[in-house]
């Protein structure tokens, strides 16, 4: 009687050591990398709200100053919602004018349509980043209120 010394007793599958499980093989890599910087994370969060995938109150603890009011004004119009293609953050970058502040931009693409989004992040005493301002396509949100 010959014993197979590579497989524990009672194990009947043919996987060897180090072979990934079937569930691990089914997982597909993400189509785009996970956000790694605060401005990349906020670009994704703002996109979710401004495309209608998330409610505005989802950003309550992530905004300061007028940013929440700006989102309240913008979100009902869902300016980044599209018919058909799901909008995605195509490009995102930021500039640090001083420690604890990021002036960021993102280009949002949905099919052939590309929109610009700019926002400001400020780091609080608790070291958490919060959105302090949001603009779409160069139009400050407050300017539309002043024109009306």
């Amino acid at each position: 009687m010959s014993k197979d010394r590579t497989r524990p007793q009672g194990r009947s599958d043919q996987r060897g050591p180090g072979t990934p499980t079937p569930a691990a093989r089914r997982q597909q890599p993400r189509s785009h990398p996970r956000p790694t910087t605060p401005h990349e994370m906020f670009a994704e969060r703002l996109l979710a709200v401004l495309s209608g995938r998330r409610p505005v109150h989802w950003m309550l603890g992530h905004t300061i100053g007028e940013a929440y009011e700006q989102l309240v004004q913008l979100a009902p119009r869902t300016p980044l919602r599209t018919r058909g293609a799901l909008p995605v953050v195509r490009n995102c970058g930021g500039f640090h004018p001083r420690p604890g502040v990021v002036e960021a931009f993102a280009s949002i693409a949905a099919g052939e349509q590309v929109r610009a989004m700019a926002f400001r992040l400020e780091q609080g005493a608790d070291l958490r980043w919060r959105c302090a301002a949001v603009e779409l396509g160069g139009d400050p949100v407050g300017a539309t209120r002043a024109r009306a």
Side-chain angles (χ1 to χ4, degrees):
M1 177 159 110
S2 169
K3 288 193 174 187
D4 184 1
R5 298 199 187 270
T6 62
R7 198 174 12 243
Q9 186 176 8
R11 187 166 164 182
S12 61
D13 66 352
Q14 298 299 313
R15 287 186 299 125
T19 305
T21 63
R25 282 192 299 256
R26 277 195 301 266
Q27 292 176 352
Q28 296 297 319
R30 293 174 55 96
S31 59
H32 53 85
R34 259 184 214 281
T36 57
T37 64
H39 57 274
E40 290 171 334
M41 182 193 73
F42 271 88
E44 295 286 346
R45 292 182 77 83
L46 291 167
L47 173 59
V49 170
L50 296 174
S51 65
R53 292 192 317 247
R54 292 284 188 163
V56 179
H57 67 264
W58 188 56
M59 291 293 290
L60 258 174
H62 302 282
T63 57
I64 57 173
E66 294 183 24
Y68 186 75
E69 188 60 37
Q70 291 170 334
L71 288 173
V72 167
Q73 291 177 13
L74 282 171
R77 296 183 279 145
T78 56
L80 297 178
R81 177 177 285 178
T82 60
R83 299 185 202 278
L86 185 67
V88 295
V89 175
R90 179 196 282 181
N91 189 14
C92 185
F95 168 71
H96 298 268
R98 67 176 190 266
V101 175
V102 177
E103 299 284 342
F105 66 88
S107 59
I108 310 297
E112 297 293 315
Q113 182 184 5
V114 177
R115 297 283 310 267
M117 178 170 62
F119 52 100
R120 178 184 176 95
L121 301 179
E122 296 180 4
Q123 193 174 35
D126 60 357
L127 301 181
R128 291 182 54 207
W129 289 95
R130 291 177 179 86
C131 184
V134 181
E135 293 182 14
L136 287 179
D139 264 346
V141 177
T144 45
R145 188 176 358 152
R147 280 187 248 146

